[in-house]
DNA sequence: TTTT
DNA sequence: TTTT
């Protein structure tokens, strides 16, 4: 059945990358989408939407996007529930990302000098991301934002275990690289 | 910013119609959207997605749709939170419906004989729903599924108060009627 | 980049199924989507949107859907062009369907008795299609609506040759069957 | 019925702003959306999608966006036709934009110095565009990119005359301004 | 060239 | 628990 979501917004924090026991990369992130209208106090509010990405998209996201980065997400809504430490049922709603577009990186806050956005770049020919990737940012070499959890099932906020880590030969190509 | 959702699925219960203190109709409903893939046990699961509709769409939904009815929903994700009776913060995610399409009514389970689907109807003129509305189902006369709450703010599950009940002259035309 | 379309509407004709030289099934069909508003003459117009489906989706569509059938389509916009017999450039816009939902079959117009919609069916448990598939409708056995073109490239309206017939192991599972 | 499109891509040319005889602003523009996969030659192609915006969105677009600017568009597909000078019927497909997000301005190619993107701006308060509008860019004062056509019906590529220029009190608020 |  |  049709279950289709598109969001454009900013990461509220650095994405959180983990690996399942089977070694599959999963990234969790929250996208803040500002509303296009103001409330009665004249303020513009935002919706904070939890998202999950898998595999290469997860790794690319963790490597190239930061708190504040602008992203486009196409995916589907996934609902679930778990029991918290008080035995209380908590219902969850997440967007499972099928496709993520890196619209704008956020400069690294540290002294890294990475993700710099040259003012006079010539970026004809296609992709919308606006940064020059340095070799050391390659996801194969040293994933950033990575945490050392290995068992997602310890964490009630981890994505559910059934059916959402597409196994098999759906291996993504270099087309998933954001450049 | 872009925040766009489209769902096609079935109502898990009759829609719940209320009115705000200002007299604005609000309907809450949950759409079950079956996943297009099976889990590791070979079962097809579903996502249960909470939705809100306002004004005439809310009234039409409550009048014509039932548990099991197939609907299309176009809208946006809205997040919020409230504190439950234990003082615990609960986060909510709902779809605010901009546009609802009645794809198929579900026969009333009671002896009503309403919402019957005549096999030889002539229903030219546009909408895809397949039933003849009886006069007594007119939303002006006697809204069905209605509850007598008048103050949504008593209810933590009610839609938030700010900004989502578009006031003013956005009055809907008869185009909103599902026939 | 994000290029996302969702439509719900009716087939203007029976879908047209062909096979590429490589043996890949392609279906072309047009979805009429009625507008939700009326024009200045008070009439409700429609948009007629050309779509393409590939492989098992194409075959299922051709087997189970007919002129008048209600479908949901999720996909992306694809543009192209060709030169007509007068050497004039013609620009094309099509929706490439990633996912098709069969919302309602249309009874076969002939005496077939297929695709009948029993009035008292018990269809709990999920899928939205409303018909009982007869064995002889199985897509493996005898595809319907099929034409005997084998070389799509003879036809300027055929889908372009580059990149849109995902080769390889993306073979669809039985989940694609509409029941 | 549901007819929903979301695109993120770049303008292929400066938007073309006109006014109907009734004085309603209309902008036409084409969005290039790069495909996420490569063709058999290993090249990444793009789809070139014609779009229309109305009223304040049209004016804002013409004032702030240029060839190369990155935009998000949410809208619906509209089909139509006209007869060309040879009396040949030409079919058209356009996206009618309900909502446009300015994701990134493109610096004016001329010596203007407009649309510069200060590196240390403070742009709190909502929108994702990253530039400071100069007073002379205000849409009320001197619309840019404007052409002096007054009768859209002279132009077969103009948006159709029926029903798509919502008259009346749908006047947009300042929320439509891109800052 | 269009569905209901 | 939130981005700009």
């Amino acid at each position: 059945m049709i279950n289709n979501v598109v969001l454009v917004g900013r990461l509220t924090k650095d994405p959180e990358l983990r690996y399942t026991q089977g070694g599959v990369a999963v990234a969790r992130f929250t996208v803040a989408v500002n509303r296009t209208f103001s409330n009665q106090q004249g303020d513009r509010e935002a919706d904070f939407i939890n998202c999950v990405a898998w595999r290469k998209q997860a790794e690319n996201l963790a490597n190239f996007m930061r708190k504040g980065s602008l992203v486009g997400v196409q995916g589907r809504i996934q609902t679930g529930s778990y029991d918290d430490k008080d035995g209380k049922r908590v219902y969850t709603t997440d967007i499972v990302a099928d496709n993520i577009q890196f619209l704008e990186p956020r400069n690294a806050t540290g002294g890294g000098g990475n993700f710099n956005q040259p003012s006079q770049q010539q970026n004809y020919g296609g992709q919308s991301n606006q940064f020059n990737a340095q070799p050391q940012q390659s996801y194969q070499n040293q994933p950033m934002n990575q945490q050392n959890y290995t068992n997602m099932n310890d964490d009630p906020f981890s994505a559910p275990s059934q059916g959402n880590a597409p196994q098999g030969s759906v291996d993504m190509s270099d087309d998933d690289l954001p450049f």
Side-chain angles (χ1 to χ4, degrees), chain A:
Chain A
M1 285 175 151
I2 290 171
N3 178 345
N4 191 264
V5 175
V6 182
L7 306 174
V8 176
R10 294 188 180 279
L11 301 193
T12 61
K13 299 196 308 252
D14 290 358
E16 205 176 285
L17 181 66
R18 301 183 183 185
Y19 287 86
T20 65
Q21 281 187 307
V24 181
V26 205
R28 305 209 119 250
F29 57 107
T30 299
V31 177
V33 184
N34 296 309
R35 296 186 187 159
T36 54
F37 51 89
S38 303
N39 65 14
Q40 286 155 345
Q41 288 73 49
D43 301 320
R44 211 165 251 181
E45 294 176 275
D47 296 291
F48 299 98
I49 302 169
N50 296 321
C51 300
V52 201
W54 290 90
R55 297 172 175 273
K56 209 160 280 182
Q57 296 235 295
E59 291 177 317
N60 284 335
L61 189 86
N63 283 329
F64 300 117
M65 297 284 103
R66 289 282 169 279
K67 178 177 180 177
S69 295
L70 189 67
V71 292
V73 174
Q74 190 270 319
R76 62 184 174 84
I77 299 176
Q78 181 172 264
T79 60
S81 66
Y82 66 92
D83 294 319
D84 70 9
K85 43 280 177 206
D86 311 333
K88 196 169 204 170
R89 177 129 295 185
V90 177
Y91 294 94
T92 60
T93 302
D94 298 282
I95 306 308
V96 180
D98 290 325
N99 186 14
I100 303 180
Q101 186 178 2
F102 301 153
L103 293 167
E104 179 221 85
R106 190 75 334 190
N107 289 340
T109 51
N114 292 332
F115 301 105
N116 54 327
Q117 186 166 349
S119 57
Q120 271 311 97
Q121 60 179 347
Q122 295 302 106
N123 189 21
Y124 292 87
Q127 287 302 99
S128 59
N129 58 82
Q130 294 299 114
F131 56 95
N132 293 338
Q134 314 303 332
Q136 71 275 21
Q137 291 161 2
S138 163
Y139 70 93
Q140 293 105 331
N141 300 333
Q142 36 152 269
M144 298 157 75
N145 291 3
Q146 181 179 350
Q147 296 182 231
N148 289 319
Y149 294 70
T150 53
N151 183 348
M152 293 179 48
N153 300 319
D154 295 338
D155 177 5
F157 274 97
S158 69
S161 51
Q162 1 75 305
N164 35 21
Q167 310 290 19
S169 64
V170 201
D171 195 49
M172 296 173 185
S173 72
D174 290 286
D175 293 349
D176 297 306
L177 280 176
F179 43 76

